[in-house]
Each structure stands twice: as structure tokens, then as C-alpha cells.
Amino acid sequence: MSRSSKGKRYDTSEKLNIKKVVAVIIAIAVFVMVIVGIKTLLETDTKKITEQTSYYPVYTNGKWGVINQKGEIVITPQYDEMITIPDSKTDLFICAYDVNYETGTYKTKVINSKNEEKFTEYDLVESLENIDKNNIMWYEDGVLKVKKGNVYGLIDYSGKVILPMEYDVIETLQGVKNSIIIKKNDKLGLCDNKGNIIINPEYKEIKSIGDDYKNGYIVVNSDNLYGLIDFTKNTILEPIYEEIKPACSSNIFIVKENGTLKAINKDKETLIENKFDDVKEINADNLIFIKNQKYGIINTKQEEKVQAEYEDLKYAFGDYYIAKKGNTYGIINSSNENILPFEYSKITYRKNAGFVEAQKGNNVNTEILNDKLEKKLEGIISAVDEIKAYIRIRINDKYKYYNFKFEEIKASDVLTTTMFLDKKDGKYGYIDSKGNVVVDYIYEDAQEQNAFGYAAVKQEGKWTYIDSTGKQGTQKYELKDNLIIDFIGKWHLAEDPNAYYYTDAE
């Protein structure tokens, strides 16, 4: 089935005049990124198979509706446009209708699971969608944008007004949570998702510093002068600079003044001047600088610790930096000593887990290295749970679990489901927490049971599901292009998992 048949809201060939409507179709390029990015959708931290009601968009026979965590239809599929569910645990669904792609106009209504309309006093109600650098889309927590006449405001999920109806534009600051741009009288300001004003609407432009709102914001006034404001409303740098670069730390800022790019501190004292074309990143007193399109390291004493000779540099941890030389990656220290050889096509440091992931060439396997850069594991990573502190990795066609100390653990040590994937004689089955076989070893491939009690299993080249009792579904799918195989009853996750909907279509 082509995507054009899935409703115009999901069709890449036509767009509404706001980019949010098509954010759900952005393709995911990296498999592991997809797994980690939507793990909160597929894995729930519960003590048993979840009984809390959750809701998901569903697509069938060319129409959109809503199902719950049991796979039961809550809203009959009858809409031409994909239904937006801002929070899967909240009983609110936003339906778009009367869409005119030529004029870019449309209407919305909000309904609950009883099909009752909510917030009817507004002309338009929308979720606040955002997207990060990895093309993972999310909705701002607990807040909806509403329109009445020609002005916008914000309400919470209960309908309480948290930002008055007096703004010309309301949109998210791309890539940053809890940061909402507000526009009034052609000036920009910023509020959080509780409606608290962080920056009054008096600027021409507002930019983020990194992807964490706690880093603060760069503001540009009507005279095109740059300043810096933190999330607690404090002005760190007055708007007097020709430019401020996003590479900032708590006490080092890269500014352009009188045509010169330099590093200054909070007291506006110059630390480094005439030494770089740009700065990518700051770590303590070390700056990753760019000169003649090459990367190096300089400190606040103006000592070039690493000359600008690399195609890329990124701080990892301790005194280690991920470096790119030619087309390969390695790890160096701030003395430019080669710590990990330049033989990898990709290296990533997972800060909250404390380990390094490295890949060679087009190898699907990933090497996992500890903080001493010793190889501890190698395989296909299918999940990294930084909350429960475990890795799920496929080694030689068998899924294994390890904690962040790289000790092998049982699935039952970290998962809260009722049965656990196991392999024997080349086939997959399921055991209980005591190791007793509860589903025979008859499947050629399979996935762990999800938070809703369903597990995806493959037999004779096709996927279906089994429920918590081991009963197998009757619907079968090839799903050869799906990056993630997951079921809620007969419904399987869409081919593009970042679209966050289930379907019974091939």
C-alpha cells in the first residue's frame, strides 16, 4: 500500500502550511537510534503487564482511528487524516478535517474515548510537536496550542488556560524541550510548557544553546545585536555583540565584537582572541576550535593542545576526544596521543551509560568499549535502557542482556513481563522467570514480550503475535521493511516507527 493512500496528512507529496503536520513522516536512518528513541512507547516500567489505559493511532482500510493497549478499537477508523494523540496515557485525541491543501487551511476537533468533544470554545486546537537532531519527534508535555479568531494561547490537558489568547504565533523551539516560542507585535519571546514567560516578546530571533533548555538562549534584538539569557530569566550577556556562537559553557562564551571572534568570561574579559574561525564545543578550560575547516583543541591560556588537523572532534569523557581523520574515526587525548586507532566508521559515547559504541565499515555489529576503551561486547544493539541500566544485544542470533558493568544478566532481572524470549536448537520459544518453558521452541525469529503482553513471532517467513497465554494470532505479515516489529493484538507498528501508529496493512 502506498503512503499516498494513508490520508493526506501522512502524504509527503502535499503539505499543510505548518510543518508540524508532516513531522511524523520523517525517515529514521539509524536502527539503534530508532530503538532507543521510541523505547518509552514499547517498554513500560511496570511490575506486571500494564493495565493502565494507553492510546495509539491506528490505520486500516484507508481510515484513521484509535486503539487502546489491548488492541481494542476506541475510536472507529473513519478519519481521512492521522489522529494526533499528544500523550498516550491521556484520553485526548486531536482530529483534523476539512483539509484544503491548496490554501493550507484545516479544522480540528478534540474528542475523548467516549467520542465526546472537548474544548469546543476554540477555533483550533493542536499539539505542540517538536523534533530532535536525530529526527525523533515528540509532543510537548501537558500543553496544547489553541486559537480563537486570529490569536493563540496555551491550555493544559484539563482545559485550564496557562497562557492567555494574545499571541500571533506559538511554536516550539526546534530540538529543545520545554521551550515554546511566542510572537506578539512581530517580536519573539519564549515560555515554558507551564505557560511561564522566560523571555518577553521583544526580540527578532531566539536560538537555542545545544539541545537542553538549561543551557539558556541566544537572543537577537532589532539592531541585530546578540545577547544571552538563561532559563531562570537572568541576562548573562547584554545584547551588544555582533554574534554569539552556540558553543557556550557556564563561564565561557564565544562572541564576535568589532569583527573579531573571541572567547570571553562572565566578566566580559577576553580569554582567547584571533586564534580560531569558530568554536564547536567547550569542556572545562578546553575548547574544540575550527580553523581553515579543521578541528583542534585550545585552552583558555591560549595554548594549542591539539593543532587544527582533524576533520572533526567531539568531547567524549575524561581526557578523551572522538576524532575523525580522513574518513575514519579514533579517540585521542588532549595531548594528541592516539588512544583508539583510526579504524572505525562511527564512534559514539553514551554518557548516561558510561560506554563507547564503535562500528567498523558497514559491519552491522557494534563494539561496546568500557571507560578504559577495552572491548567488552560485540553484536547488534537492540536496546539501551539508561533508567534500568541494561543493554540488550543480539550476539550470534541470540538476544542477551548485560548490565552497565558488562555482566550478563537474565531478561527477568530487568524486564517485568510474564515470559521471556529463549533460543534452543536454532528456534525461539519463551520461558517463565523460573526457566520453565511456556511457549515451545517453534519460531524462526521472535521478540521479547512488550509492556502490553504481546510478543512478535515469526514462522514460515511471516510475523504474527502471541498473547500472554501463548495463544497465537491468525493475522500474518511479512513486514520485511519494518525496522521494529511490535504488536498490540492484531495491529503491528508501522513501517516507519517514528510515525507512532499501528496498522493491519502489509
Side-chain angles (χ1 to χ4, degrees):
M1 180 174 291
S2 67
R3 287 193 172 184
S4 61
S5 65
K6 293 182 180 179
K8 292 180 181 178
R9 188 165 187 254
Y10 197 80
D11 186 355
T12 59
S13 63
E14 297 184 272
K15 300 179 182 179
L16 297 179
N17 66 342
I18 55 171
K19 60 186 176 182
K20 301 176 183 61
V21 179
V22 295
V24 294
I25 64 170
I26 297 175
I28 303 302
V30 182
F31 177 68
V32 174
M33 197 176 296
V34 173
I35 296 288
V36 176
I38 71 162
K39 74 182 182 69
T40 53
L41 173 67
L42 306 182
E43 298 178 10
T44 304
D45 187 10
T46 56
K47 295 183 179 179
K48 58 181 179 178
I49 299 301
T50 183
E51 295 178 357
Q52 182 179 1
T53 302
S54 301
Y55 304 98
Y56 300 97
V58 68
Y59 178 80
T60 182
N61 296 324
K63 299 292 183 180
W64 294 92
V66 176
I67 58 170
N68 62 19
Q69 82 284 359
K70 297 179 181 179
E72 300 166 337
I73 291 177
V74 176
I75 299 297
T76 301
Q78 58 184 299
Y79 293 92
D80 294 327
E81 310 296 331
M82 182 174 176
I83 295 174
T84 298
I85 303 178
D87 183 344
S88 64
K89 303 296 190 296
T90 302
D91 187 3
L92 290 175
F93 321 129
I94 302 174
C95 307
Y97 64 101
D98 286 352
V99 176
N100 187 320
Y101 282 85
E102 293 182 0
T103 62
T105 58
Y106 55 96
K107 297 178 182 178
T108 63
K109 67 177 180 178
V110 181
I111 57 176
N112 61 17
S113 58
K114 297 178 182 178
N115 215 14
E116 300 168 333
E117 284 199 46
K118 310 281 286 184
F119 317 139
T120 55
E121 64 269 37
Y122 300 107
D123 299 330
L124 200 68
V125 182
E126 296 177 288
S127 61
L128 280 165
E129 295 177 6
N130 207 329
I131 190 165
D132 67 15
K133 60 185 177 182
N134 298 322
N135 286 338
I136 303 298
M137 187 266 291
W138 77 85
Y139 300 117
E140 280 296 328
D141 293 335
V143 62
L144 297 171
K145 178 173 74 172
V146 292
K147 182 181 182 182
K148 206 168 189 178
N150 294 318
V151 291
Y152 293 88
L154 296 176
I155 62 173
D156 64 18
Y157 289 164
S158 71
K160 178 183 176 182
V161 175
I162 59 175
L163 190 71
M165 306 285 299
E166 57 186 53
Y167 296 94
D168 304 319
V169 174
I170 295 179
E171 60 186 10
T172 54
L173 185 59
Q174 186 165 323
V176 187
K177 292 184 177 181
N178 202 21
S179 301
I180 301 170
I181 295 289
I182 52 178
K183 186 175 183 179
K184 188 176 182 181
N185 298 327
D186 211 32
K187 299 291 184 181
L188 300 181
L190 187 131
C191 71
D192 63 16
N193 59 15
K194 301 295 183 183
N196 300 311
I197 300 295
I198 306 303
I199 301 173
N200 290 321
E202 54 189 47
Y203 294 98
K204 177 181 178 180
E205 191 175 359
I206 298 176
K207 303 178 181 180
S208 63
I209 300 175
D211 56 7
D212 189 339
Y213 68 88
K214 296 175 184 177
N215 294 333
Y217 309 93
I218 297 168
V219 294
V220 185
N221 67 16
S222 56
D223 295 323
N224 290 321
L225 295 177
Y226 288 64
L228 189 62
I229 298 175
D230 70 16
F231 194 71
T232 60
K233 308 181 184 182
N234 294 317
T235 298
I236 306 301
L237 296 176
E238 295 288 344
I240 59 174
Y241 299 97
E242 296 159 28
E243 188 176 4
I244 297 178
K245 296 289 187 177
C248 298
S249 70
S250 59
N251 194 45
I252 301 174
F253 313 100
I254 310 304
V255 303
K256 182 182 281 189
E257 195 171 25
N258 298 322
T260 300
L261 200 62
K262 57 186 178 180
I264 65 171
N265 60 21
K266 277 187 176 181
D267 296 323
K268 303 181 180 61
E269 298 169 333
T270 298
L271 304 174
I272 308 172
E273 190 172 5
N274 294 320
K275 292 288 187 178
F276 45 71
D277 300 328
D278 204 348
V279 172
K280 176 185 177 181
E281 191 177 352
I282 300 174
N283 172 56
D285 291 332
N286 289 336
L287 289 71
I288 297 177
F289 73 98
I290 305 171
K291 193 169 186 177
N292 298 324
Q293 298 182 323
K294 298 284 186 178
Y295 293 76
I297 301 173
I298 190 172
N299 64 19
T300 53
K301 296 178 181 179
Q302 302 202 38
E303 299 168 335
E304 283 195 16
K305 304 180 75 172
V306 175
Q307 291 185 352
E309 60 184 75
Y310 294 100
E311 273 65 49
D312 197 10
L313 271 177
K314 180 178 177 60
Y315 176 69
F317 64 97
D319 192 37
Y320 293 153
Y321 294 79
I322 299 168
K324 184 180 183 183
K325 183 187 292 185
N327 293 318
T328 58
Y329 289 86
I331 291 181
I332 64 170
N333 62 19
S334 62
S335 299
N336 205 20
E337 297 170 328
N338 189 199
I339 308 300
L340 194 68
F342 286 84
E343 57 185 25
Y344 296 92
S345 58
K346 183 179 181 183
I347 297 177
T348 303
Y349 176 62
R350 202 176 277 276
K351 181 179 178 180
N352 294 331
F355 60 76
V356 171
E357 298 173 12
Q359 289 178 291
K360 292 182 179 179
N362 295 319
N363 192 348
V364 295
N365 284 342
T366 298
E367 295 179 11
I368 298 180
L369 316 175
N370 64 12
D371 57 6
K372 296 179 181 178
L373 300 182
E374 301 166 330
K375 186 166 78 171
K376 306 300 292 185
L377 298 171
E378 183 174 358
I380 301 174
I381 300 174
S382 64
V384 176
D385 192 315
E386 295 177 353
I387 297 175
K388 297 182 182 179
Y390 74 84
I391 307 162
R392 183 174 184 250
I393 185 169
R394 187 163 179 161
I395 301 175
N396 297 326
D397 292 329
K398 186 168 184 178
Y399 289 102
K400 294 188 176 184
Y401 290 79
Y402 294 85
N403 60 28
F404 287 172
K405 296 179 180 179
F406 308 107
E407 300 165 334
E408 187 171 1
I409 55 179
K410 297 178 181 178
S412 56
D413 293 334
V414 290
L415 301 183
T416 53
T417 50
T418 58
M419 59 185 185
F420 308 93
L421 187 63
D422 195 37
K423 189 175 185 181
K424 183 179 179 181
D425 299 328
K427 294 287 187 178
Y428 291 91
Y430 293 84
I431 58 176
D432 63 20
S433 60
K434 297 180 180 179
N436 301 314
V437 176
V438 292
V439 176
D440 287 337
Y441 299 88
I442 59 174
Y443 297 106
E444 58 204 59
D445 202 353
Q447 303 289 335
E448 288 286 5
Q449 185 184 42
N450 65 25
F452 310 124
Y454 299 101
V457 292
K458 189 176 185 181
Q459 198 172 38
E460 297 180 352
K462 292 193 175 183
W463 289 92
T464 186
Y465 70 92
I466 56 174
D467 63 19
S468 58
T469 68
K471 182 180 178 181
Q472 182 175 300
T474 57
Q475 296 83 2
K476 296 183 179 181
Y477 312 89
E478 289 189 5
L479 304 182
K480 58 183 179 180
D481 294 323
N482 287 56
L483 294 177
I484 300 176
I485 310 296
D486 185 69
F487 283 84
I488 298 180
K490 72 172 185 176
W491 313 99
H492 66 81
L493 192 66
E495 181 180 319
D496 173 6
N498 196 39
Y500 297 116
Y501 74 88
Y502 286 80
T503 181
D504 60 354
E506 281 286 358

